[in-house]
Amino acid sequence: MLSASALRDRPSGRLADNVLHFTRVLRKAGLPVGTDRALLALEALRVAGIESREDFRATLRACLIDRGEHRALFDQAFEIFWKDPDLLAQVMRLLLPSAPGRTAGGSTVDANRRLATALSGQMLPAPEQAALIVAPSWSDREQLRKVDFDTMTSEEWLAAQRVVAALDPFLARIVTRRSVPDERGTRIDFRQLLRNTARHGGHIAVLPRRRPRTRPSPLVVIVDISGSMSRYSRMFLHFVHALTS
Amino acid sequence: MESRLPASIDATHELLLSRDYVADRALTTAVYLALKLERPLFIEGEPGTGKTEIAKVLASALGAELIRLQCYEGLDVNLAAYEWNYARQMLEIRLGEAAGDSREKIAANLFSQEFLIARPLLRALEPHPTPPVLLIDELDRTDEPFEAYLLEVLSDFQITIPEWKTVKAARPPIVVITSNRTREIHDAVKRRCLYHWVDYPDAAREFAIVRRKVPDAGEALSKQIVAFVQALRQLDLYKLPGLSETIEWGRALLALDALALDPQTIDDTLGVLLKYQDDIARVRGSEAARLLETVAAKVG
């Protein structure tokens, strides 16, 4: 494999292409990886080198994800993407119903349809097609009403997530007896005022204010998270999250 | 200073190890990249997995000053970045008036470094012989306006003080941000950082850490301690014991002169490992004895 110094001499080329390619796969699988993160990854690889696969993965991981729960998806994508350079053949095997993904990544690979869709997207050279899918319209939403969560593709899943996230929280917030500092608050914070005044030799510079603290009303949700229900419960949790936040 | 920065991932591992911090390869890589690319390192994970420790270890290993900003709800710019010393400014005005100085002359000097109280963020940007380690601890405890304020500090390593000037670090500090994930940190902050999630260590690494941190415990007892804690983490508890609890427990057992685990000692010292009464009540007695049996079967 290439050492750090050799890599520095040739910053572009196949590796850069592949890393960018990889970030696109991640993005399609639903991970929010921006261009800046891809550039950061390239910069980091230049520093860290790619002598060992473990370091290569750690470098990409430090740069490309920013949430604990994305680790599993990242690792799966990494396994599939970087094990076999012949991506196309890999994807074909993934998609064939008779050979359910017993490929490079091991048994967990076939479980993730979102990832499979993301990888398959690489085969379509037409960005216009992707643009068509992204634009949400009433008919999409109409369709989403009837689609089973378990059989959704990643686009549908993301679209459903967006629909859910756009819901207004309608659970009222409870006004508590306690208050929090707030510049635009309604009450004057006399205690703080006194402390500030004492510190500033009796002068009043600003009037510190507070407002009553609010908190979401308590909501108890009991969810079955076992394998067969995981897609449903996950979407349900998105729904609950949208209601309460 | 440059010579003290590790030159490779292996060197970073050695550096951390020299201060008894046993990091896994992924964390070492993230630390190395943060040092090399001069990017903040954002560390998330369960409490007690050594997130804060990494900043302390880095500071001591690099011979740098550790500047710590402990976050809490209501933390504002006055306490985190800088504050004007109003009292001294007032005094200055009075003195100026008494001396018959003109209004312009008094005003000219009023907002200068002399009257500025530097808080952790500003202190980290001031010139140091060695770039300091800035630890922004438990960022999830602050509120969103403060996060937004941090953006300027994290991306450009500068603070704009409207009345005075923009203070920019000649050499960026080493920034370590930790979060316990009681809430999600805004993407804008995370985008500026390298990210690492700290997991509970596996048995081999935890054993290595216990051996380093509690060397007097002996190999057999250390093995039992680690196996027991690892088994405990498989249970469905409200708060799983972290690495720091393992180390504390090791020290507690040592203080009690325990040579091996037995049900009575475990019951007596369970409070060191578990911090919730419900958890303790669940494990104490028969459950602890059962765990101990599996541990004994495994460790021998």
Side-chain angles (χ1 to χ4, degrees):
Chain A
M1 278 198 161
L2 285 171
S3 71
S5 57
L7 195 65
R8 212 170 296 129
D9 296 332
R10 20 182 290 185
S12 54
R14 284 297 299 274
L15 181 71
D17 287 348
N18 278 329
V19 170
L20 292 177
H21 202 147
F22 181 56
T23 58
R24 280 201 295 276
V25 168
L26 291 181
R27 215 174 298 154
K28 283 205 150 193
L31 263 54
V33 186
T35 319
D36 54 341
R37 292 215 150 251
L39 291 176
L40 175 65
L42 288 177
E43 203 186 333
L45 284 175
R46 222 166 287 167
V47 173
I50 45 173
E51 279 110 347
S52 94
R53 184 180 159 78
E54 207 38 54
D55 293 352
F56 182 51
R57 178 212 293 262
T59 305
L60 287 185
R61 199 154 89 160
C63 297
L64 294 181
I65 67 168
D66 59 7
R67 233 161 262 225
E69 61 265 31
H70 291 160
R71 283 172 302 155
L73 196 61
F74 174 90
D75 284 346
Q76 285 182 13
F78 184 90
E79 284 300 327
I80 301 175
F81 193 91
W82 296 100
K83 193 100 173 190
D84 190 349
D86 188 4
L87 179 66
L88 204 64
Q90 195 79 44
V91 170
M92 288 314 287
R93 260 178 288 161
L94 255 180
L95 294 180
L96 279 177
S98 55
R102 295 254 166 248
T103 53
S107 60
T108 48
V109 174
D110 54 346
N112 208 320
R113 276 188 66 228
R114 267 159 72 194
L115 191 58
T117 337
L119 281 166
S120 74
Q122 296 308 317
M123 294 160 60
L124 308 170
E128 310 84 41
Q129 252 178 330
L132 264 182
I133 303 168
V134 170
S137 65
W138 64 271
S139 65
D140 271 2
R141 225 169 297 166
E142 201 70 4
Q143 247 183 349
L144 285 174
R145 280 192 191 169
K146 290 168 194 159
V147 179
D148 195 314
F149 289 137
D150 205 27
T151 55
M152 277 185 172
T153 62
S154 68
E155 280 98 20
E156 286 167 347
W157 178 260
L158 284 179
Q161 249 184 42
R162 272 197 298 271
V163 172
V164 166
L167 290 174
D168 281 333
F170 59 78
L171 291 177
R173 292 180 69 84
I174 297 174
V175 179
T176 62
R177 285 172 55 199
R178 297 184 189 281
S179 60
V180 286
D182 183 355
E183 281 172 26
R184 294 179 300 274
T186 45
R187 296 182 217 154
I188 294 173
D189 185 348
F190 285 105
R191 283 196 211 175
Q192 189 61 39
L193 179 63
L194 209 59
R195 275 196 292 270
N196 290 354
T197 314
R199 215 190 298 163
H200 301 150
H203 288 266
I204 296 176
V206 273
L207 280 182
R209 290 170 180 279
R210 294 177 84 81
R211 65 168 165 81
R213 179 190 295 196
T214 61
R215 64 178 170 82
S217 24
L219 181 68
V220 178
V221 182
I222 299 173
V223 186
D224 175 5
I225 57 162
S226 62
S228 63
M229 293 301 289
S230 84
R231 296 272 291 189
Y232 301 95
S233 46
R234 204 180 299 174
M235 188 50 86
F236 183 66
L237 288 178
H238 276 297
F239 177 67
V240 173
H241 182 73
L243 288 189
T244 51
S245 61
Chain B
M1 165 64 203
E2 293 306 335
S3 62
R4 300 193 74 163
L5 276 185
S8 67
I9 299 172
D10 290 323
T12 314
H13 188 74
E14 286 304 316
L15 186 81
L16 296 176
L17 215 54
S18 72
R19 293 293 186 280
D20 286 339
Y21 192 97
V22 186
D24 64 5
R25 190 76 183 177
L27 175 59
T28 316
T29 308
V31 169
Y32 171 69
L33 288 174
L35 293 177
K36 265 299 198 222
L37 299 177
E38 300 185 339
R39 285 263 186 164
L41 178 61
F42 189 100
I43 305 182
E44 270 187 331
E46 300 294 332
T49 42
K51 299 188 294 296
T52 306
E53 192 66 18
I54 189 92
K56 293 184 187 166
V57 164
L58 269 180
S60 98
L62 294 172
E65 185 190 348
L66 177 70
I67 298 174
R68 181 173 180 163
L69 176 65
Q70 175 65 50
C71 297
Y72 54 88
E73 196 179 335
L75 178 67
D76 60 6
V77 177
N78 283 343
L79 292 164
Y82 65 89
E83 188 173 19
W84 288 108
N85 191 340
Y86 284 123
R88 278 207 58 197
Q89 283 173 328
M90 296 292 177
L91 214 60
E92 189 70 14
I93 295 172
R94 296 272 162 83
L95 289 173
E97 282 169 353
D101 286 345
S102 70
R103 200 173 154 185
E104 288 73 26
K105 193 182 168 196
I106 297 173
N109 293 324
L110 222 44
F111 289 103
S112 60
Q113 186 147 24
E114 205 182 332
F115 301 104
L116 195 67
I117 305 169
R119 302 288 187 203
L121 290 181
L122 185 61
R123 272 208 296 132
L125 302 183
E126 287 172 346
H128 285 74
T130 306
V133 176
L134 171 63
L135 168 64
I136 303 177
D137 211 8
E138 306 189 340
L139 182 61
D140 50 334
R141 285 173 184 259
T142 57
D143 30 32
E144 278 165 24
F146 182 73
E147 268 178 41
Y149 183 80
L150 267 186
L151 294 180
E152 188 190 8
V153 182
L154 294 182
S155 56
D156 300 329
F157 297 108
Q158 65 177 35
I159 288 179
T160 303
I161 303 174
E163 302 89 347
W164 189 36
K165 64 170 185 177
T166 300
V167 180
K168 190 168 170 60
R171 294 169 60 191
I174 298 161
V175 184
V176 178
I177 305 171
T178 74
S179 158
N180 284 334
R181 271 208 97 173
T182 51
R183 70 179 177 84
E184 200 66 63
I185 303 294
H186 198 277
D187 283 345
V189 174
K190 287 184 177 174
R191 257 207 353 251
R192 286 161 172 80
C193 308
L194 292 160
Y195 179 86
H196 184 76
W197 173 276
V198 196
D199 257 328
Y200 293 119
D202 57 24
R205 198 158 70 86
E206 191 160 28
F207 177 68
I209 295 167
V210 171
R211 286 298 284 156
R212 276 179 173 269
K213 291 284 184 186
V214 200
D216 295 338
E219 195 170 328
L221 180 61
S222 300
K223 263 191 185 144
Q224 282 189 326
I225 290 172
V226 170
F228 189 83
V229 175
Q230 294 267 340
L232 210 52
R233 289 203 192 113
Q234 303 301 320
L235 300 183
D236 181 24
L237 296 174
Y238 186 71
K239 163 81 180 73
L240 296 177
L243 186 54
S244 57
E245 276 85 13
T246 314
I247 295 169
E248 280 308 311
W249 196 41
R251 289 188 180 138
L253 291 174
L254 209 61
L256 294 173
D257 288 331
L259 294 173
L261 291 182
D262 61 77
Q264 187 56 44
T265 320
I266 292 178
D267 280 357
D268 291 347
T269 53
L270 215 49
V272 182
L273 278 178
L274 302 172
K275 307 294 173 172
Y276 284 88
Q277 183 51 37
D278 290 351
D279 287 349
I280 294 177
R282 219 192 116 181
V283 174
R284 175 167 284 160
S286 59
E287 183 72 13
R290 189 186 65 80
L291 285 179
L292 190 59
E293 268 173 35
T294 58
V295 166
K298 206 189 286 177
V299 177

